[in-house]
Amino acid sequence: MDDGDDGSDLRKIAVELFGDGDAEFVRASAPGRVNLIGGHTDYNDGFVLPVAIDRRTEIAVRPRDDRTVRAYSANFDESRDFSLDSSPSEESSWLGYIEGIARKLADGAPGVPGVDLVVDGDVPMGGGLSSSASLELATATALNEAWNLDYTPTELADLGWRVEREFVGVECGIMDQFVVALGERDHALFLDCRTRNYERYSLDGDVRVVVTNTNVEHELVDSAYNERVAQCAEGVELLDELLSDDVTALRDVSVAEFEAVEDELPETIRERCGHVVYENERVREAANALETGEMGRVGELMSESHQGLRDSYEVSCPELDFVVEVAGDIDAELGSRMTGAGFGGCVVSFVRAESVEPFAETVREAYLAETGIEPDVFPCAVADGARVEARLED
Ligand code: GLA
């Protein structure tokens, strides 16, 4: 992203495109995210422990005097527009997210003006770092400000989540939008996806979060994701019959309860549910370990999480497994796991700060030699969630 900290480049693009150098822009930005632990637990009402990262989507918007939204994406070098008064398009490109957010906000605020809007970002797309949640929350934050609406970050996260589910047709959980909205610099966010209560845990300065993007994306991700959602729902029905307590989500099942009845479940359902039940336990333990500064334990739990995702939940792939294996052989690594939906995308590793460079180089070389694909291996600073960067009166 060729955008200085003050956003002046983004503003310049907007002025060049839309003219009128004196008009003011609202600017907002939102980060990408990686999830340290809690894989496929969010849509089971469970626990997650993600961080917002220092890759961001930036947006500049300026109210117009009609009801048109005219948008330009610097990433795609493409301009598109729609009217807030026309019926929604079936748009599935970058504009679909912007349109979804704009329409939802405008529905609750009749008569808001259209906007000129420019978007740019450096969250890798399709890599499992939530570039879509980042775009949703950057848009929502900018329009919330430009239209003088009063939504809280939690409400904007919920709005983004609904847009994601409707537009993309994936029955995803709330994790991505929530941490993109509410993440905090140098802190991991422990989120209870049922109650949406959260707590922030400070990250130890001696450990860095390192992301390896495998740069592969296998086709079946959306259908496999919805299949896992359905298998968990099937497990919930069976467990509700088998256990005396009410089970409305896998979150309601403790490890002891699961182990008491697991033999009565069909094999695939048992494996899927088992992963979620153990993973919820690991997330809670990881949060405690962060609190007591036991970073080695957090790393171990991350590695156990990967095994569950690979063997029981079956959402990993050879490229992700290879990275986790190579990383695991490096002394400075405390733990690694796939992050995001799976079937490609990224691995997140906990690495001793002083050894990040040799770690990255070793993983890069090994992965390239094994797959012929150049990965991106980069340390991430843990960053703040979505925010307004400049208000109209600035
Ligand atoms: C994707 C979804 C999230 C979550 C993860 C798996 O990133 O968007 O809601 O389910 O997969 O943990």
Side-chain angles (χ1 to χ4, degrees), residues 100-110 112 136-137 139-160 162 181-182 386-388 391:
I101 294 285
R103 286 191 190 283
K104 278 220 185 315
L105 287 174
D107 280 352
V112 288
E136 287 151 13
L137 267 299
T139 308
T141 304
L143 292 179
N144 193 36
E145 175 68 22
W147 286 343
N148 282 317
L149 309 175
D150 226 1
Y151 291 104
T152 63
T154 313
E155 289 167 337
L156 295 180
D158 189 73
L159 192 107
R162 285 187 283 130
L182 285 120
R387 61 183 177 226
V388 175
R391 297 176 196 278

Side-chain angles (χ1 to χ4, degrees), residues 15-64:
V15 169
E16 270 166 22
L17 279 169
F18 305 134
D20 190 3
D22 291 335
E24 289 185 280
F25 289 84
V26 166
R27 284 187 295 106
S29 74
R33 68 96 186 88
V34 287
N35 186 19
L36 298 180
I37 190 161
H40 289 268
T41 48
D42 60 351
Y43 54 81
N44 287 300
D45 274 3
F47 305 102
V48 289
L49 193 64
V51 298
I53 60 172
D54 57 345
R55 301 284 185 114
R56 299 186 82 84
T57 304
E58 313 253 351
I59 286 200
V61 302
R62 175 181 65 183
R64 294 166 56 92

